[in-house]
Amino acid sequence: PDRGILALLAVILLAALFVTLHVREYTVLSPVDELQHLDYALKVSDGEFVHRGDLVGTEALREEACRGVDGGYPTPPCDARVLRPQDFQEAGFNTAYIHTPGYYVVAGLGGRLIDRVPGVMSPVVGARLMGALWLAAALVLMWMVFDELGVRVAARLPVLLLVACAPTVLHAAATINPDGSAVAIGAAALLVVLRWESGRARPWLLAVVAVAAILTKVNNVMA
């Protein structure tokens, strides 16, 4: 096999290891709206969409009560018989309703499947581990962008490693957050644009990537 491909595979496996270790050690929920994103993913995996004014469901509330929140935000006790949404952040309202469901479908359904693996025991862990796939996709797409730009393999590897272990990228990939898809979506958009400019991609591919980007996170509509 081509040495470059083997090097890329090694970087992908290392990135998956980074995400897995982060998920194992970071058991609390992130204060960056992870409760809302978790609730969205859980509901979508059950065929329910989140709308304006919806309260966070009991399953997500129980996860936060038992895990806690990074930053010391007070939560009800894990063994509380009844959990009231108003005792949690944002008065219990799911503020993630503004986002399109693409990311949450992947995180929710993938998380439910991974949750069935012995030893996982939580849809939170499953949904977080799906971030390894987003990060792997980002690295592959970045590799393809480097191909378009004629970047040497020796120069690609350190860049990919730095991206994979950058705190902002790793935190987004290893928690339930649509920002975890941002690098992959950005790399896909850049790849298609470069190929379109060189006459090797149809214009409709630009539209396909744009729609995929918007379906993944609504903020991408600005780009």
Side-chain angles (χ1 to χ4, degrees):
D2 183 83
R3 290 183 179 180
I5 300 301
L6 291 178
L8 175 59
L9 290 175
V11 171
I12 290 173
L13 291 175
L14 191 59
L17 177 62
F18 291 159
V19 171
T20 302
L21 292 175
H22 193 292
V23 171
R24 189 184 71 174
E25 296 298 324
Y26 192 76
T27 58
V28 296
L29 291 191
S30 167
V32 189
D33 298 333
E34 190 171 16
L35 173 63
Q36 283 76 22
H37 299 312
L38 167 63
D39 182 58
Y40 200 148
L42 292 175
K43 287 178 177 176
V44 166
S45 69
D46 289 332
E48 178 185 353
F49 289 93
V50 176
H51 304 92
R52 181 178 181 180
D54 286 356
L55 294 172
V56 175
T58 301
E59 186 177 9
L61 295 179
R62 184 68 64 184
E63 288 285 353
E64 176 162 299
C66 294
R67 290 173 173 273
V69 183
D70 193 5
Y73 186 92
T75 59
C78 179
D79 58 356
R81 292 184 59 186
V82 178
L83 295 175
R84 303 187 308 165
Q86 57 265 38
D87 294 333
F88 293 78
Q89 304 104 299
E90 313 296 345
F93 288 99
N94 192 321
T95 55
Y97 71 89
I98 62 171
H99 293 303
T100 44
Y103 167 83
Y104 301 102
V105 170
V106 175
L109 293 178
R112 295 287 192 191
L113 288 174
I114 296 176
D115 185 28
R116 297 180 180 181
V117 175
V120 175
M121 301 172 59
S122 169
V124 174
V125 174
R128 283 177 165 183
L129 288 176
M130 291 300 295
L133 294 181
W134 284 110
L135 185 53
L139 297 176
V140 170
L141 288 165
M142 288 179 66
W143 184 275
M144 296 171 71
V145 167
F146 292 149
D147 263 340
E148 294 296 315
L149 298 175
V151 178
R152 294 179 296 108
V153 171
R156 302 179 194 185
L157 294 178
V159 172
L160 292 180
L161 284 172
L162 286 172
V163 169
C165 65
T168 303
V169 174
L170 184 57
H171 180 271
T175 58
I176 305 169
N177 189 324
D179 289 340
S181 65
V183 179
I185 292 296
L190 179 57
L191 176 64
V192 172
V193 168
L194 289 174
R195 290 188 173 181
W196 172 69
E197 286 186 335
S198 63
R200 295 186 297 110
R202 300 286 186 178
W204 59 265
L205 278 176
L206 297 173
V208 170
V209 171
V211 170
I214 295 169
L215 289 177
T216 304
K217 187 177 180 181
V218 70
N219 304 58
N220 292 337
V221 71
M222 292 183 289

